[in-house]
Amino acid sequence: MPDTVYFFGTCLIDTLFPRAGLAAMQLLRRAGVRVIFPQGQTCCGQPAYNSGYRDEARAVARAQLDAFPADLPVVVPSASCAGMLRVQYPLLFADTADAARAEAFAGRVVELADFLVRVLDVRLIDLGPPIRVAVHNSCSARRELGVADATMDLLGRLARVELVEPERAAECCGFGGAFSVKQPEISAAMAGDKARAILATGAAVLVGQDCGCLMNLGGTLARQGGGPLVRHLAEFIWERTHRDD
């Protein structure tokens, strides 16, 4: 088991979900792992990459290669950003002078739930009341990284949590980064379908590992008149398993 890891915070956690980032680092530290947060880290480069700006994406990505130099795991509390770092960086730098460096970096990237389950095999003591929770696994978690099972496994370790996957669970929420900007009507329709399926579960909380999805679904649920609380996976688990003494 590694005793030290890097932590990649992601833009959306930094700007909109800071408590999720802090919770993720607290979960790692409680498991006995020292967490290094490189101050030089920025965006993973996904917005530029998905919009076709390869040179600009490489400039941002190269800064991340520089920011995480040691041979340590890079834990990411987002399947989308982890997918960019792990799957897309080698493609982005193929046939460049940084190809080998990008391959080595990608091999160290691990999504948070996958790391907590597969590497640390964490034990969770559930301190909260019985609750029904709807789970949203992002497209990146399901298809790009294949870590959706780790999310369910991790949440399943909370004894008083009843997990439900809404209908249309495998469908995109409609966010898709630039897709929601370029195709707002289609994006809104997709999110509306997902929100109605989530409401039908009767869950008190919606949990996911990608802030873009949570932001999109949370906003749609609010416009439909309410619904479950929306929590990042790390923040939800920390709230259920931590007690201030």
Side-chain angles (χ1 to χ4, degrees), residues 62-107:
R62 194 170 289 110
Q64 310 323 306
L65 300 183
D66 294 339
F68 298 84
D71 186 18
L72 296 171
V74 181
V75 179
V76 187
S78 158
S80 178
C81 297
M84 178 67 191
L85 300 173
R86 183 169 174 168
V87 179
Q88 306 304 329
Y89 271 22
L91 301 176
L92 187 62
F93 286 104
D95 301 321
T96 74
D98 289 308
R101 201 158 67 110
E103 287 279 0
F105 175 79

Side-chain angles (χ1 to χ4, degrees), residues 71-193:
D71 186 18
L72 296 171
V74 181
V75 179
V76 187
S78 158
S80 178
C81 297
M84 178 67 191
L85 300 173
R86 183 169 174 168
V87 179
Q88 306 304 329
Y89 271 22
L91 301 176
L92 187 62
F93 286 104
D95 301 321
T96 74
D98 289 308
R101 201 158 67 110
E103 287 279 0
F105 175 79
R108 294 191 279 120
V109 172
V110 191
E111 186 268 340
L112 175 68
D114 189 31
F115 190 78
L116 292 174
V117 169
R118 181 173 54 81
V119 180
L120 299 183
D121 191 21
V122 293
R123 178 170 174 256
L124 301 177
I125 299 176
D126 192 353
L127 303 176
I131 191 171
R132 173 177 285 189
V133 172
V135 182
H136 172 72
N137 273 299
S138 68
C139 297
S140 295
R142 287 182 180 278
R143 291 178 271 276
E144 189 173 35
L145 293 182
V147 297
D149 288 347
T151 305
M152 304 303 287
D153 186 333
L154 186 62
L155 289 167
R157 300 182 184 203
L158 295 169
R160 298 178 184 175
V161 169
E162 177 192 359
L163 297 180
V164 291
E165 275 199 298
E167 291 186 9
R168 300 174 177 270
E171 296 180 10
C172 174
C173 72
F175 181 67
F179 173 79
S180 61
V181 176
K182 294 177 179 177
Q183 302 288 346
E185 292 83 7
I186 298 174
S187 172
M190 295 168 71
D193 288 343

